[in-house]
Amino acid sequence: MKNAFLSRNSKYMLLLAMFSFSSLVAQSFQKTALGIKTKIQALDVEVQFYSPTIVRVLKSPEGVAFKKESLSVTKKPESTKFTMQQNGDIVSLKSDKMKVDLDLKSGKMSFNTLAGASLLNEAASGASFTDFNDAGSKTYSINQNFELDKDEAIYGLGQQQRGQLSLRNAKINMVQGNVDDYVPFLVSTKGYGLFWDNYSPTVFEDKPEVTSFKSEVGDCIDYYFMIGGNIDGAIAGMRELTGQAPMFPLWTFGYWQSKERYKSQDELVGVVSKYRELGVPLDGIIQDWQYWGNNYLWNAMEFLNTEFPNPKKMVDDIHNMNAHVIISIWNSFGPQTKQFREMQPKGMLLNFGTWPQSGLETWPPNRDYPSGVQPYDPYNPEARNIYWKYLSKGLFSVGIDGWWIDSSEPDHMDFKPSDFDIPTYLGSFRKVRNAFPLMAVGGVSEHQRAESSDKRIFILTRSAFAGQQRYGANTWSGDVNSSWQSLRNQIPAGLNFSMSAIPYWNTDIGGFFAGAYKKGWGDGTKNPSFQELYVRWMQFGAFTPMMRSHGTDIPREIYNFGKKGETIYDAIAKTIDLRYSLLPYIYSASWDITKNQSTMMRALVMDFDDKKVVNMNNEYLFGKSILVAPVVHAQYTPETIVKSNEETGWNKNEDTDVAKIQAATFGQAKSTKVYLPEGTSWFDFWTNEAFKGGQEITKATTIDEIPLYIKSGSIIPFGPKVQYATEKKWDNLEIRIYPGADGEFTLYEDENDNYNYEKGAYSTIIFKWNNKTQTLTIGKRSGSFNGMLKNRTFNIVLVTKEKGTGIPTGKNYDKIVDYDGKQKNIRL
């Protein structure tokens, strides 16, 4: 009897213990307005819904208070309906778009579709915090591990010169550099995005068993998961979180000429004048450094160089030729500048080695005469105010159209670990190092917008960080080498950058360091090795968001390569003409970015479910219709290997082993391999020959043509032949239809410059092609703006081998349609 009582008592005690434990678990988390808070394995963990598709995860050592204000994230959490359910140790939170599971015992999180399909899991090893002394401040080094599916591919993390597209099995040390721009955001072929919100030096590593982010400094682990359904959707989530991309002026999509550097006002204006004389289109000219004088006056933001005696007249002369000018500005100042003298007493300069290293213009730098140049602290709002004050007074006031913000990472030479201890307005330089370009570019952008809305902000910059798309900036790939390998590297570099949610990117056409091609060839422009590389790079550049020729050692203006009727000159001119013919398509694609969070340079994996394109690093879509397959191997000359980097490349006196080769004959046809993704058919742009997707073909090439293929169902508008982007109205566009599938295209137009489009001052016309009935519907025009065409002509071409090939010639139309804004149906 006693044993029976003890047995019943033991069962009672066991049930009581189980109930108490269950109650303890049930009370071990707290529901909040955004999600839940809990403590797991000595960590405070918080899950926050920022929207139905975006979740933020915060982790920190238990009981340790911290304050985190994101430099990248602009979105405030929106009121999001979610449900919460507990099943044992697992708490599940559901919005109407996704499900998030948190294991209350291990702390492991997983992100899933509503249907229960796994998207991303934290690894069992999870998060770790290691004590770290950050310049006297007690903080942590942080690490978070994830598990990726064996077969998924990931992309993004900014721009790397790795020559690879997929980030699987990569280890990347993310510290901003001249030719590497790091953005800690990645996207997956499973349709999600992951943003690691940290600004310190960070190592990303993907191994078969675990994928991790490890940052040197962090008071907390702070990351965002976003579900998009596809890569476009994930990018849209990142832009929702960190800011949308505004419109650039139409003229920024024309052709830009630059070099290191135009040494006088007359030379700069003369280049524009020469292009107009030759009838070669040009929209922009760029003035590089030292218009301010010597290196002690570095970045004075004034024309102190006597070779620029009348900057207002210089700018007016350029404007009177219907061109625009942007100018080099830096994030550092020489000791004799007004900016340096105002900022230094206020502790707004960062005292570490930067470019230039000597006050004298000699190579190598004469360290007996240090330049004294120091970067400024863009994290400090007062410093940003001072920066704009001088920029506005010295350059904006004379009518400069945009800013070339060089060294925006910034240059960090003679690096010492103690440099990271240097204090900034937001803590140690180590803590905020990678966000430098975001703060520097943002300071200029926000101040200009506050001062004037008449002119859209246009910034060309050498580095970027998460969220920079909101500032009207186009990032270029830095001082890259003039070599075929470097050209090959630019394609995956630009595609990964674009998949980092920052849609505007470009590269120095021809590569920056080209001195190796001069030996035995004068200025190098007649060296066939450089001519071939330059033309192929030019053809690639025509299909990037900014077409800009720039470099040192060898001049890049078209007239240096010969004259009309000569092969290389004609190839360059033809490529520029092709770019201008596509301006209606390109400008409409830019609206698709602003309105629909699209991307202009598109890795093929974004649009095609084809395993062969998962790591394809030499082809891409430009917009959503044009497949670009640049020629990235020498066909007419030896593929000379040129070695240099952004520092050693400055040794312009270095002898090289580049042998002088015989003059090449560029007349004969060559060939290259092109892969056409499956799931559609394709038209050769130059011949309209049709191909079924899912196969590799051999394409005959000539020096003046780049392999281009148009997806079936595409509708592409072509603009008039012009000398600059706005020379002629788009009142007589050629509209090409590539049959074989249904298609749709939205033609966008506005006032071309200013921000009235944000108030609704723009128009769209939707073209739809019904392949079954062979009918084109031109929809009713939506919207209006000052100067809008009320009546116009559309010249319709249903492409065949005989019609609609190559650059438009104004012949062989199927229908000529007078359009007054009302819907039209055209049977072809």
Side-chain angles (χ1 to χ4, degrees):
M1 197 65 185
K2 181 178 180 182
N3 290 340
F5 173 78
L6 288 172
S7 178
R8 286 195 299 271
N9 190 52
S10 297
K11 289 179 181 178
Y12 172 76
M13 295 298 291
L14 179 61
L15 288 170
L16 181 63
M18 290 173 64
F19 175 76
S20 300
F21 178 74
S22 174
S23 300
L24 180 65
V25 171
Q27 295 173 5
S28 66
F29 64 88
Q30 172 190 349
K31 185 177 181 181
T32 69
L34 302 178
I36 62 171
K37 289 182 178 179
T38 187
K39 300 180 187 299
I40 306 173
Q41 295 189 353
L43 293 181
D44 289 328
V45 179
E46 185 167 1
V47 181
Q48 303 174 341
F49 276 104
Y50 264 52
S51 77
T53 61
I54 302 173
V55 166
R56 183 188 190 188
V57 176
L58 279 165
K59 301 181 183 181
S60 59
E62 184 176 347
V64 179
F66 67 92
K67 184 179 180 181
K68 171 72 182 288
E69 293 184 9
S70 179
L71 301 178
S72 296
V73 174
T74 56
K75 181 180 176 65
K76 301 301 180 186
E78 63 186 70
S79 179
T80 302
K81 291 182 180 179
F82 65 93
T83 61
M84 189 168 60
Q85 182 178 6
Q86 184 175 358
N87 184 7
D89 293 327
I90 306 299
V91 175
S92 298
L93 292 82
K94 280 187 182 180
S95 71
D96 62 4
K97 296 294 183 183
M98 66 171 158
K99 181 168 78 82
V100 181
D101 292 337
L102 173 61
D103 188 323
L104 295 171
K105 188 174 182 181
S106 69
K108 180 177 178 179
M109 294 197 64
S110 61
F111 305 89
N112 314 276
T113 67
L114 286 179
S118 175
L119 294 172
L120 177 68
N121 298 318
E122 290 185 349
S125 51
S128 65
F129 288 77
T130 306
D131 288 342
F132 187 84
N133 185 332
D134 181 26
S137 176
K138 184 183 182 302
T139 184
Y140 307 93
S141 292
I142 57 174
N143 183 83
Q144 177 66 57
N145 295 330
F146 299 93
E147 295 173 344
L148 270 59
D149 282 354
K150 177 183 176 183
D151 295 330
E152 75 176 294
I154 53 174
Y155 311 96
L157 296 186
Q159 167 196 287
Q160 317 100 36
Q161 301 291 336
R162 299 166 49 244
Q164 295 293 318
L165 186 64
S166 174
L167 298 171
R168 295 310 303 263
N169 302 309
K171 183 176 182 179
I172 301 173
N173 184 27
M174 296 196 288
V175 182
Q176 305 290 22
N178 183 317
V179 296
D180 297 288
D181 304 330
Y182 294 112
V183 179
F185 171 71
L186 60 80
V187 294
S188 167
T189 47
K190 295 176 72 174
Y192 68 80
L194 182 68
F195 171 44
W196 178 257
D197 194 11
N198 185 283
Y199 325 118
S200 71
T202 296
V203 174
F204 167 83
E205 186 170 14
D206 177 62
K207 296 187 287 189
E209 64 276 12
V210 70
T211 301
S212 63
F213 285 93
K214 184 175 183 179
S215 295
E216 281 192 19
V217 174
D219 297 324
C220 62
I221 286 172
D222 186 0
Y223 72 84
Y224 295 79
F225 175 90
M226 53 214 76
I227 185 170
N230 53 36
I231 292 175
D232 275 309
I235 289 170
M238 184 61 174
R239 296 209 198 125
E240 178 186 347
L241 190 65
T242 62
Q244 302 295 348
M247 290 290 290
F248 284 132
L250 176 60
W251 49 265
T252 65
F253 296 106
Y255 176 65
W256 285 81
Q257 188 61 65
S258 179
K259 77 170 185 178
E260 189 280 308
R261 59 190 163 85
Y262 298 119
K263 296 185 177 180
S264 72
Q265 176 173 333
D266 289 343
E267 183 184 7
L268 185 76
V269 174
V271 172
V272 181
S273 179
K274 185 68 174 177
Y275 270 82
R276 292 288 178 258
E277 176 189 327
L278 293 171
V280 176
L282 178 77
D283 262 275
I285 189 81
I286 306 177
Q287 177 57 50
D288 206 341
W289 57 13
Q290 289 177 325
Y291 57 89
W292 51 69
N294 65 55
N295 289 351
Y296 299 114
L297 292 167
W298 190 264
N299 196 33
M301 297 175 176
E302 292 183 75
F303 290 92
L304 303 176
N305 185 328
T306 57
E307 294 297 325
F308 296 83
N310 192 337
K312 182 66 168 65
K313 182 178 184 303
M314 178 186 77
V315 173
D316 289 345
D317 287 345
I318 291 169
H319 287 169
N320 289 337
M321 288 185 283
N322 298 293
H324 296 79
V325 59
I326 66 174
I327 197 163
S328 172
I329 56 175
W330 289 58
N331 297 299
S332 53
F333 297 100
Q336 294 180 3
T337 61
K338 297 172 184 175
Q339 296 93 327
F340 189 104
R341 297 200 300 269
E342 184 169 351
M343 289 184 180
Q344 188 187 42
K346 298 180 178 182
M348 297 176 178
L349 298 175
L350 307 178
N351 188 15
F352 59 76
T354 193
W355 180 268
Q357 294 163 297
S358 173
L360 307 178
E361 290 187 58
T362 59
W363 187 267
N366 188 334
R367 300 302 184 94
D368 291 336
Y369 298 91
S371 69
V373 173
Q374 293 183 22
Y376 90 112
D377 180 0
Y379 310 97
N380 186 323
E382 185 184 354
R384 296 196 298 270
N385 291 343
I386 293 169
Y387 189 100
W388 175 256
K389 176 179 70 174
Y390 288 104
L391 181 58
S392 177
K393 181 180 179 181
L395 298 177
F396 194 52
S397 63
V398 301
I400 298 292
D401 298 296
W403 315 111
W404 182 12
I405 305 184
D406 209 339
S407 189
S408 51
E409 60 280 341
D411 278 315
H412 194 163
M413 296 173 160
D414 303 323
F415 170 76
K416 304 183 295 294
S418 60
D419 290 346
F420 277 158
D421 293 338
I422 292 172
T424 76
Y425 183 81
L426 294 179
S428 74
F429 187 45
R430 176 185 297 105
K431 185 175 183 179
V432 291
R433 195 270 171 270
N434 282 342
F436 190 102
L438 177 71
M439 305 306 292
V441 170
V444 173
S445 180
E446 289 175 346
H447 279 90
Q448 181 178 331
R449 186 67 196 269
E451 185 165 319
S452 172
S453 291
D454 296 337
K455 183 184 294 187
R456 291 180 198 167
I457 293 160
F458 181 63
I459 295 171
L460 173 64
T461 186
R462 198 170 77 183
S463 191
F465 191 71
Q468 201 156 302
Q469 72 280 350
R470 65 181 181 254
Y471 288 133
N474 191 319
T475 303
W476 97 93
S477 61
D479 297 339
V480 297
N481 229 347
S482 294
S483 72
W484 288 95
Q485 184 58 53
S486 184
L487 171 57
R488 290 190 283 272
N489 290 346
Q490 299 319 297
I491 299 173
L495 295 175
N496 270 315
F497 186 86
S498 297
M499 286 190 284
S500 303
I502 308 179
Y504 291 108
W505 176 92
N506 71 106
T507 180
D508 289 349
I509 291 175
F512 185 71
F513 295 115
Y517 297 96
K518 292 175 67 173
K519 184 180 180 184
W521 288 98
D523 67 3
T525 57
K526 301 302 186 290
N527 183 339
S529 286
F530 185 73
Q531 289 179 335
E532 183 180 6
L533 176 64
Y534 183 72
V535 166
R536 294 310 192 192
W537 210 314
M538 174 74 69
Q539 292 164 348
F540 165 59
F543 292 90
T544 62
M546 183 183 187
M547 184 184 186
R548 180 187 58 88
S549 171
H550 178 71
T552 191
D553 303 313
I554 297 178
R556 310 298 168 92
E557 299 79 18
I558 187 172
Y559 44 83
N560 290 296
F561 292 92
K563 58 186 179 181
K564 188 174 182 179
E566 295 178 356
T567 303
I568 297 302
Y569 180 103
D570 288 351
I572 296 170
K574 182 175 181 177
T575 305
I576 297 172
D577 283 339
L578 174 59
R579 171 75 173 200
Y580 275 83
S581 74
L582 287 168
L583 284 181
Y585 174 83
I586 294 169
Y587 201 53
S588 297
S590 74
W591 172 246
D592 198 22
I593 289 170
T594 297
K595 180 73 165 74
N596 302 312
Q597 297 80 51
S598 187
T599 297
M600 192 175 294
M601 281 185 74
R602 305 177 61 80
L604 297 181
V605 72
M606 297 175 71
D607 294 279
F608 302 100
D609 184 15
D610 182 340
K611 291 183 179 179
K612 291 185 178 178
V613 304
V614 167
N615 197 27
M616 184 158 285
N617 58 7
N618 60 347
E619 300 178 16
Y620 59 98
L621 284 189
F622 186 62
K624 293 180 178 175
S625 295
I626 304 175
L627 186 147
V628 185
V631 177
V632 292
H633 292 275
Q635 296 177 317
Y636 298 90
T637 61
E639 188 166 304
T640 306
I641 302 300
V642 181
K643 294 182 180 179
S644 72
N645 61 43
E646 59 270 22
E647 292 186 36
T648 62
W650 282 106
N651 192 343
K652 299 179 182 182
N653 297 320
E654 182 186 44
D655 199 5
T656 70
D657 295 324
V658 179
K660 181 173 179 179
I661 65 168
Q662 298 299 313
T665 302
F666 289 112
Q668 68 270 40
K670 301 289 184 178
S671 67
T672 189
K673 300 287 188 181
V674 178
Y675 181 75
L676 301 175
E678 65 181 8
T680 187
S681 56
W682 298 92
F683 291 84
D684 184 318
F685 174 76
W686 301 105
T687 67
N688 284 344
E689 184 179 0
F691 297 89
K692 185 180 179 181
Q695 63 172 320
E696 184 178 75
I697 64 170
T698 299
K699 165 65 178 170
T701 60
T702 54
I703 191 64
D704 63 337
E705 291 183 0
I706 182 175
L708 302 172
Y709 291 84
I710 314 299
K711 187 172 64 171
S712 65
S714 295
I715 302 169
I716 298 183
F718 290 86
K721 185 174 176 60
V722 292
Q723 298 304 294
Y724 53 93
T726 58
E727 182 186 13
K728 298 175 184 176
K729 291 185 177 294
W730 293 348
D731 57 354
N732 211 313
L733 297 183
E734 180 173 310
I735 309 295
R736 287 189 193 169
I737 302 158
Y738 293 82
D742 293 343
E744 183 176 315
F745 181 84
T746 300
L747 178 68
Y748 172 84
E749 296 168 290
D750 63 15
E751 295 172 26
N752 299 327
D753 202 349
N754 70 41
Y755 288 96
N756 290 340
Y757 74 90
E758 293 181 344
K759 305 170 186 175
Y762 65 87
S763 74
T764 56
I765 302 170
I766 299 177
F767 296 76
K768 292 185 178 180
W769 170 248
N770 185 313
N771 196 64
K772 183 177 181 180
T773 63
Q774 298 283 283
T775 301
L776 176 69
T777 299
I778 306 176
K780 180 182 177 182
R781 183 178 54 229
S782 176
S784 64
F785 59 91
N786 286 336
M788 184 184 74
L789 291 166
K790 301 292 179 64
N791 297 280
R792 65 201 305 168
T793 299
F794 291 127
N795 303 297
I796 313 299
V797 179
L798 182 62
V799 301
T800 65
K801 286 188 177 181
E802 292 75 36
K803 289 181 298 185
T805 57
I807 301 173
T809 60
K811 300 175 183 178
N812 289 335
Y813 302 135
D814 287 287
K815 296 275 187 176
I816 297 176
V817 178
D818 294 325
Y819 179 79
D820 60 3
K822 299 184 180 68
Q823 180 172 312
K824 295 260 186 176
N825 295 305
I826 301 101
R827 184 74 181 270
L828 296 173

